[in-house]
Amino acid sequence: MEAETRIRLADPWFDDDEIEDVVAVLKSGRLVQGSHVAAFEKQVAEYLGVPEAVACANGTASLHLALLAIRLEPGDEVILPDFTFPSAANMIDAVGGVPVPVDIEPGTFNLDPSHVTEHITSRTRAIMPVHQFGLMADLPAIGAIAEEHGLLVFEDAACALGATGPGGEPGSASSGPRGIGQASAMACISFHPRKVITTAEGGMIVSRSAVFAERLRRLRNHGAHRERGRMTFDEIGFNYRMTEVQGALGTGQMRKLGAIIARRRELACVYDAELAGLPLRRPAVPEGYGHVYQSYVVVLDPALDRDRIVEALDHAGVESTLGAYALHMQPYYRRKYGLDASRFPNSRMAFRHSLALPIHQHMTETDARTVANVLRGVLTRA
Ligand SMILES: Cc1ncc(COP(=O)(O)O)c(C=O)c1O
C-alpha cells in the first residue's frame, strides 16, 4: 500500500505577492523581456556584486550563450567534471567543442583540481567547474591552473545562487573569493523548479565583463541589435529571451532568497545529525564554504542497491532520486569519445550510489526527521 503523506523532493514556494505580480503581467499585455526581467537582472547583479546579468530562457540556454560568447571554435576543448547533469557537456558538443571530463572529489562531488593539469592540451580553451548541488568548486585552485595555462574559467552555477567560497558573502567586497561570478569570466545560473529559486524555466549569466554581456544580449535576441527602432542582424543568434512572467516570479523569489537558503541549511543540519551512523556518506562542506543545498545528496554504501532504496522510500511516502550522472557512462559520450572508465572511479561511484533526499521550503525539521527515520528503516531492512 502506498503511504498517504508524501514528502516531495522539491516543492517551489510562491506567495500571494508573486501570484499577483504574475496576474498583473498577464493583464498588462507586455509579456516578453521588459521591465520585470530588467529588475530581476538588476537584483541578481547587485546581490552577487557583479556588474552584468543577462537573463535568458533556461539554464541550458545560459550555457549555450556563454560558450558562443567566448567564441569556442570547433575542436576547442573544455574541461569539466564527469559527474554532473549533462547540460554543459551537451552544449559544448553542440557548438563543435570537445567536452573533456575529469573525475570529482568524492566528498564534495566537485571537479578535482589535482586531475585538471594532466588533461590540458594545446586545444584546451576553458575550464568549467560545476558547483554541484549548491557547493562551490575549489575556484582558487582552478583559477590558479587556468591562469598558469592561459585558460578561461566559466562556472556552471546552475545550482549555486547564494553559494560562497572562502572569504565572504555574495556581493561582499572582502578579499578572497566569494560568490559565483566574482572570480571567473561568466557564471551560468538555472531557475528550474528544483533550483534554489525558480521562475518555472529560466536562466541567467552573470559576468564582470561588459563585452561578454553585450554579446550575450545580442545572441539571446536573434543576433540582432537595435538601431533607430529597427533590428540589424549582425550574426546568427537565438530566441533565448526570458518572459515577463518569469521576470516577475524572479523578482519575488529574490526577495525570499535569504529565507530559502536559511531553511535549506536548517534542514541539512537536521539530516547531518540524524543520518550519522547510517551506512552512507553525508555531504562534505569544506571549511569556509557556504553550501546552499540545492540538493542534499548522500552516497550509500556500495553494497546497497540505490535504485531499490529509491523505490522503498517512494513506497513509504518519501520522494528521492539519484544525485547526478557520470558523463563517461552515458551512451552518447561513451560512443563518441570512448572515455576510459578507469579514469573516473569517484564519478562512477557517485552516479551509482548517490541519493538525493527531499529539501525545500515547505518542509519542517520534523519532516526532515521523518525522512531520516524512514531511510533508517529502509536501510535496516535492505
Ligand atoms: C549542473 C546543471 N547544469 C545545467 C543545468 C541545466 O539547467 P536548465 O534545466 O535550466 O536548462 C542543470 C539543471 O538541471 C544542472 O543541474
Side-chain angles (χ1 to χ4, degrees):
M1 249 236 319
E2 289 276 326
E4 275 176 22
T5 35
R6 290 194 64 74
I7 301 181
R8 291 168 60 179
L9 191 60
D11 193 2
W13 174 33
F14 297 122
D15 58 29
D16 288 346
D17 286 349
E18 285 154 276
I19 292 164
E20 277 170 30
D21 288 348
V22 166
V23 172
V25 166
L26 297 177
K27 286 182 176 167
S28 77
R30 175 88 206 244
L31 298 182
V32 177
Q33 209 169 274
S35 58
H36 288 91
V37 172
F40 182 31
E41 290 175 333
K42 189 159 175 280
Q43 264 174 315
V44 174
E46 282 175 5
Y47 172 75
L48 293 172
V50 175
E52 304 286 351
V54 180
C56 61
N58 54 61
T60 304
S62 75
L63 291 161
H64 190 194
L65 289 172
L67 289 159
L68 294 168
I70 68 164
R71 297 182 196 277
L72 198 78
E73 300 283 335
D76 281 355
E77 295 171 8
V78 180
I79 290 173
L80 79 170
D82 187 66
F83 181 66
T84 183
F85 189 77
S87 184
N90 287 352
M91 290 304 99
I92 294 164
D93 187 278
V95 301
V98 180
V100 179
V102 168
D103 205 11
I104 55 162
E105 300 166 333
T108 65
F109 300 108
N110 278 329
L111 180 66
D112 186 341
S114 71
H115 287 312
V116 169
T117 307
E118 68 206 63
H119 292 95
I120 294 175
T121 71
S122 59
R123 293 309 309 263
T124 309
R125 269 294 300 290
I127 308 176
M128 193 196 292
V130 180
H131 305 313
Q132 201 54 264
F133 309 133
L135 176 69
M136 283 189 79
D138 186 349
L139 282 192
I142 293 165
I145 297 168
E147 200 174 316
E148 191 188 332
H149 295 270
L151 306 175
L152 280 170
V153 176
F154 60 109
E155 304 163 67
D156 180 345
C159 308
L161 182 62
T164 48
E169 286 302 304
S172 79
S174 61
S175 60
R178 351 157 227 244
I180 60 172
Q182 294 184 3
S184 69
M186 280 173 267
C188 301
I189 309 168
S190 165
F191 304 115
H192 175 273
R194 263 195 76 192
K195 299 301 186 272
V196 181
I197 62 169
T198 184
T199 57
E201 297 281 6
M204 201 175 286
I205 305 120
V206 293
S207 180
R208 292 170 300 165
S209 159
V211 175
F212 281 145
E214 200 270 327
R215 189 158 152 75
L216 291 166
R217 290 194 181 99
R218 207 165 350 120
L219 290 166
R220 85 172 155 185
N221 192 27
H222 305 288
H225 79 270
R226 229 170 235 290
E227 232 173 344
R228 280 181 278 145
R230 207 173 45 204
M231 296 218 280
T232 303
F233 296 87
D234 300 312
E235 62 180 319
I236 297 294
F238 301 84
N239 178 357
Y240 278 163
R241 295 182 303 253
M242 180 178 265
T243 69
E244 282 288 271
V245 171
Q246 290 166 292
L249 287 174
T251 55
Q253 294 275 294
M254 278 306 285
R255 290 194 292 271
K256 303 189 299 198
L257 178 59
I260 289 172
I261 293 172
R263 176 97 289 239
R264 285 172 180 267
R265 286 181 177 156
E266 281 159 14
L267 295 169
C269 213
V270 173
Y271 279 147
D272 281 345
E274 297 287 324
L275 300 179
L278 296 186
L280 52 79
R281 198 179 56 230
R282 292 164 292 160
V285 186
E287 185 67 29
Y289 283 73
H291 202 318
V292 291
Y293 297 101
Q294 173 267 334
S295 292
Y296 186 96
V297 178
V298 299
V299 180
L300 297 174
D301 185 299
L304 295 159
D305 180 335
R306 190 266 322 277
D307 295 343
R308 287 200 170 197
I309 304 290
V310 169
E311 275 169 27
L313 287 172
D314 187 52
H315 206 66
V318 172
E319 198 181 355
S320 65
T321 188
L322 53 68
Y325 297 83
L327 285 176
H328 79 278
M329 293 171 76
Q330 303 315 307
Y332 179 82
Y333 291 96
R334 217 176 30 216
R335 253 192 340 262
K336 181 157 179 182
Y337 297 104
L339 298 160
D340 171 6
S342 69
R343 275 173 36 203
F344 310 102
N346 298 329
S347 174
R348 190 169 58 252
M349 170 85 179
F351 174 50
R352 288 205 177 130
H353 302 292
S354 60
L355 177 73
L357 296 174
I359 192 157
H360 55 79
Q361 194 69 24
H362 301 294
M363 278 176 71
T364 62
E365 293 184 19
T366 307
D367 290 330
R369 278 192 200 95
T370 303
V371 171
N373 285 335
V374 170
L375 180 58
R376 188 176 300 113
V378 164
L379 294 183
T380 310
R381 288 190 294 277

